[in-house]
Amino acid sequence: MSKCFVIEYDTIDYLSALNIQNRIRNIKEEDREYDNFLLLLQHEPPVFTLGKQGKRSEILVSDEVLEKEGIEVLEIRRGGKVTYHGPGQLVAYFLLDLIQLKITIPDFVHKMEEVVIQTIMEYNIEGFRREEYPGVWIKHNGQISKIAAVGARASKHITSHGLALNINTNMSHFQMIIPCGITDFKPISLKEVLNRSVDMREVYEKFKNNFTKVFNIEIKDLSPRDLLTKIEKKEKEREKQKNNKEK
């Protein structure tokens, strides 16, 4: 069975998390035996990210409003259009070698969605896919709504980015954008469906357990500090090897 380190953060700003992903990707591209990682976190401050197909016009408010709300806007190399990340939303970043795991890219997307479907099922919420729209959807009060967005990247069969599941999310921020380019259906959170706040750490644990089952992977917890130590050690090894080759 393949293995994966899981790192849990309370909150972390978007660019810091992106930097960590990029550093891991750089290592994994040179060393296909390097570890797999799953980052579980919430982003603070809140941020709108524009994917490869995203447009500034899909953000419906002025820069002044964004500044007042403390929302950043960033262009990111992932699939999809504009989406939102903020406190109360579970974000999962998958740093996996699909060749090592023997998973195709379509299977990877399907498995990400399945982890969400199994996780919200534990709250008696039935999630489903829609062929024309990636992500996970639910039916609530007779309306179809999106509870999780998927926007991953796979280059050289190494993945980054991932998904965002709305738990206690400030859903008013979604009204400032056209989320994922979709105008016909509104996003929804677990809190709205259950009519109560949900313990984020509880969701982290359920998500981890379902990730293990769906991906058939063994997980090991790693602290954020130990992750950075692990990355720095590998980077120093790579730099030393590079210098030796140049001599």
Side-chain angles (χ1 to χ4, degrees), residues 48-93:
F48 293 139
T49 64
L50 293 166
K52 292 179 181 178
Q53 293 82 41
K55 300 176 182 177
R56 179 59 178 81
S57 59
E58 292 168 336
I59 299 175
L60 306 176
V61 296
S62 66
D63 291 341
E64 288 75 18
V65 172
L66 294 173
E67 185 176 354
K68 182 179 179 182
E69 291 290 325
I71 301 175
E72 300 177 340
V73 177
L74 300 169
E75 294 185 10
I76 303 300
R77 292 180 63 193
R78 59 154 175 79
K81 297 191 175 185
V82 62
T83 192
Y84 168 77
H85 297 307
Q89 182 189 66
L90 169 59
V91 175
Y93 290 139

Side-chain angles (χ1 to χ4, degrees), residues 96-134:
L96 308 176
D97 188 321
L98 299 184
I99 293 177
Q100 184 188 116
L101 298 178
K102 299 178 181 178
I103 298 174
T104 65
I105 293 174
D107 283 344
F108 168 62
V109 175
H110 189 276
K111 286 178 181 293
M112 282 196 297
E113 293 170 337
E114 188 62 28
V115 174
V116 173
I117 289 170
Q118 294 300 322
T119 298
I120 65 176
M121 182 67 74
E122 297 190 41
Y123 294 94
N124 296 315
I125 299 171
E126 183 178 353
F128 56 89
R129 299 174 182 84
R130 302 187 68 206
E131 188 174 340
E132 63 272 41
Y133 299 119

